Each structure stands twice: as structure tokens, then as C-alpha cells.
Amino acid sequence: MSSKTVDIPKAQEGDVLYDIEEKVFPDIKAEPGQKAFVFIHTVPFEGSVALVNLKTSTRLVRKGFEVHIILYGPGVLLASRTRGYPAVGNEGFPGNLAVNEQLKTLLKEGASIYACRFAMGALYGFREDDLIDGVKAFSPLDVLDSALTAWKEGAFQLNTWTV
């Protein structure tokens, strides 16, 4: 039998429990021409990694970076235009299409998004016509060359690799 030793009021909906005003690091904005490359090799919808990286990518665009998102391996499935249930475009549950909506936001705000043809075809039988409009299919040789381009140009890089 345990005994309660502290009696404090329970938090209520709307209570702010943290300092939301303090920011520790400077709010850095891109200088003209600065780029960011976000590499996503993750199993979609098995966790929050992909959506968090897409939200971060959106923030990078809004900070002025020229953003390039590289989807490879299972990450190509993020760009499916045929998702939905019971019909394409219908949310089977709230948030079901959050990734699709974030990709569309990124494209609308100027990001470039690429999907590896090898992963699409050899791994998933996923056609280029199945990609969200604006996502560009590219050669599997471009996965490494996009990383080397980022390195050569001194771009910010964010890499996620999960299986």
C-alpha cells in the first residue's frame, strides 16, 4: 500500500507548464544562395521521423534556404499520390495524410523533392505516375551525387536513416 506524500493541484487544460518565451539560440536565417539538403531513408508511418523532418524542412524554407529533399529507400513511399481510404485523398483517420499535406506545402513554398527510381521500382513496384505532382523521380546514382553536391556547396545537411 502506497501513501501519497505530495498534494498539489492537477494541471488543467490550457495551463502553460513551460517557459515558452525563452529561446536559447539565435534565430538564424539563410543568407542569399544558401542551401539545405534533407535526406530521408525511413519507413513511412512507422514513427514520427519523416513527418518531423518534413516539418523541419518547411522551417528551413521559411528561413530562406533553398531546400532539396532526397527520398530514397523506403522514404520514396512518403510521396505517394494514391494514399487514402476508402478512396484516394480521403483520410482514413485524422492525420492520416499529414505527410502528403506537408510535402504539398513544401512544393508550394519552393522546395525541390526527389524520389529514387530504384527504390520506387525495384523495391516497391511504385510508378513515377504514383508520385505527388511536383516530386521528381531521379536516378539511384543521384543519391550519392546529391550528397556530394551538398558537401561541395557547403550546404546544411540533415540525414535520417531508419529501417
Side-chain angles (χ1 to χ4, degrees), residues 25-90:
F25 296 100
D27 185 17
I28 295 173
K29 306 285 190 212
E31 294 176 16
Q34 285 189 313
K35 299 177 182 181
F37 285 71
V38 179
F39 297 87
I40 302 176
H41 180 291
T42 188
V43 179
F45 323 112
E46 294 297 320
S48 62
V49 171
L51 185 57
V52 168
N53 280 351
L54 295 176
K55 293 281 192 182
T56 301
S57 298
T58 304
R59 189 133 188 261
L60 286 165
V61 168
R62 293 175 181 170
K63 284 178 163 287
F65 287 89
E66 179 186 308
V67 174
H68 301 272
I69 299 169
I70 312 302
L71 304 175
Y72 65 116
V76 300
L77 297 172
L78 293 166
S80 171
R81 70 174 296 131
T82 60
R83 293 186 60 242
Y85 187 85
V88 172
N90 293 142

Side-chain angles (χ1 to χ4, degrees), residues 73-134:
V76 300
L77 297 172
L78 293 166
S80 171
R81 70 174 296 131
T82 60
R83 293 186 60 242
Y85 187 85
V88 172
N90 293 142
E91 280 196 316
F93 55 85
N96 180 211
L97 299 177
V99 164
N100 295 67
E101 294 308 314
Q102 202 62 43
L103 287 169
K104 290 174 186 175
T105 295
L106 280 155
L107 289 164
K108 188 177 1 171
E109 294 189 20
S112 298
I113 304 173
Y114 307 92
C116 175
R117 285 188 179 108
F118 175 83
M120 290 170 55
L123 303 180
Y124 303 110
F126 187 68
R127 304 170 310 166
E128 288 187 35
D129 290 341
D130 294 331
L131 290 171
I132 292 171
D133 290 341

